[in-house]
C-alpha cells in the first residue's frame, strides 16, 4: 500500500530579531496548519506540524529531507504553508523568474526562497506524488496590484519597505544562496536537462492567489484555507485536483484567485485523483 507523509507550517508571528523589529503578526495561520493536519490525519497521513517558532528554515528543510528519504514511487507528500509571503531580487537572471524576483516563504528565522523549496522537491524519487498548498501572498509569483484595496482582515504579505530593508541587510547571503542553488540545479540537469527531468517527482501546487493579487488573513482561517475547508466538507468532496481548485476559486472574490500549477513528471493521473488520497 502507498504511504502518505504530510508537513504543515503555520506562522502567526516571526522572530523580530531576524526581521528588523517586525513580528509579522497574523491571526489564523496556526489554525490553518492545524486544520490541514487534521484533514491529513483523517486521510491516513503521518503528519508533522511546525507552528510559529518551530517553523524555521532548518526544521522545514529537515522535515522535507526526512520525507524524501522515506517516500518511494506511488507514495505521496502533502506540504501546506500558511503565513506571510515575500520576494527578493533574483540575481541569477533565470528564465524561470520573468519578473526577476524570487518568491519566498517568510519562515520564523528567515525567508525561504522558492528555489530552496524546488531543490528539496527535486530530492524526491520519480513516481512520488507531491501536493503543495500555499496560503500566502506571492504564492503565484505575486506582486501587489497597484491601487488594489487592502483586505479588511489583513494581508499575508511582508510589507514592501520592510522587505527592501531586510534584503539590503542580507543581500550577500541571498545572492550567494541563489547562485549556489542555480549551480546545483544546472549540475543535476546535465547539458540538455535530461537528467533533471528523469528524477523529478510529480508535483501539484494550488496557491492562494495569482501573481497580481494578495492573500487575505481571517479571524479563524485564511480566506484560501477557509474556502478549501468549505469545499472539502469534512471529506464529502469527490472530484479531482482540478475541480477542487475551481471550487475553491468560486468561493473567493475576484481579487484573490487561486493558482493551479503542475511540475515534474507527467501528473495527469495524479491530477484526476481525489485530493489527499494516499
Amino acid at each position: 500500500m502507498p504511504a502518505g507523509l504530510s508537513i504543515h507550517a503555520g506562522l502567526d508571528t516571526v522572530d523580530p530579531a531576524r526581521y528588523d523589529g517586525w513580528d509579522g503578526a497574523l491571526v489564523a495561520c496556526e489554525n490553518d496548519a492545524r486544520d490541514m493536519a487534521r484533514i491529513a490525519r483523517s486521510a491516513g497521513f503521518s503528519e508533522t506540524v511546525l507552528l510559529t517558532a518551530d517553523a524555521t528554515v532548518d526544521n522545514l528543510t529537515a522535515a522535507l529531507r526526512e520525507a524524501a528519504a522515506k517516500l518511494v514511487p506511488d507514495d505521496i507528500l502533502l506540504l501546506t504553508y500558511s503565513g506571510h509571503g515575500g520576494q527578493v531580487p533574483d540575481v541569477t537572471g533565470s528564465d524561470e523568474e520573468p519578473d526577476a524576483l524570487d518568491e519566498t516563504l517568510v519562515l520564523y528565522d528567515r525567508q525561504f526562497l522558492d528555489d530552496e523549496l524546488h531543490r528539496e522537491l527535486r530530492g524526491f524519487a520519480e513516481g512520488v506524488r507531491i501536493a503543495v498548498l500555499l496560503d500566502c501572498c506571492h504564492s503565484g509569483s505575486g506582486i501587489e496590484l497597484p491601487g488594489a484595496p487592502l483586505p479588511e482582515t489583513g494581508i499575508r504579505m511582508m510589507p514592501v519597505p520592510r522587505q527592501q530593508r531586510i534584503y539590503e541587510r542580507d543581500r550577500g547571503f541571498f545572492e550567494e544562496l541563489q547562485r549556489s542553488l542555480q549551480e546545483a540545479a544546472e549540475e543535476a540537469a546535465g547539458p540538455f536537462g535530461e537528467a533533471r527531468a528523469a528524477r523529478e517527482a510529480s508535483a501539484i501546487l494550488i496557491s492562494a492567489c495569482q501573481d497580481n493579487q494578495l492573500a487575505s488573513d481571517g479571524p479563524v482561517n485564511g480566506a484560501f484555507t477557509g474556502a478549501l475547508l468549505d469545499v472539502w466538507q469534512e471529506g464529502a468532496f469527490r472530484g479531482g485536483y482540478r475541480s477542487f481548485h475551481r471550487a475553491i476559486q468560486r468561493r473567493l472574490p475576484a481579487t484573490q484567485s487561486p493558482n493551479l500549477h503542475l511540475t515534474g513528471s507527467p501528473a495527469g493521473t495524479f491530477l484526476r485523483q481525489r485530493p489527499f488520497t494516499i
Side-chain angles (χ1 to χ4, degrees), residues 17-65:
R18 304 302 297 270
Y19 286 95
D20 196 31
W22 178 71
D23 69 359
L26 292 167
V27 174
C29 299
E30 287 194 0
N31 287 342
D32 291 347
R34 293 189 188 97
D35 285 338
M36 294 309 303
R38 177 174 51 83
I39 288 176
R41 187 165 52 251
S42 67
F45 287 77
S46 297
E47 78 276 8
T48 297
V49 180
L50 303 173
L51 299 179
T52 304
D54 288 330
T56 63
V57 169
D58 284 349
N59 286 347
L60 179 59
T61 299
L64 287 166
R65 292 182 181 179

Side-chain angles (χ1 to χ4, degrees), residues 221-235:
N221 292 106
F224 169 76
T225 300
L228 183 154
L229 295 171
D230 287 345
V231 171
W232 184 242
Q233 290 186 332
E234 299 293 343

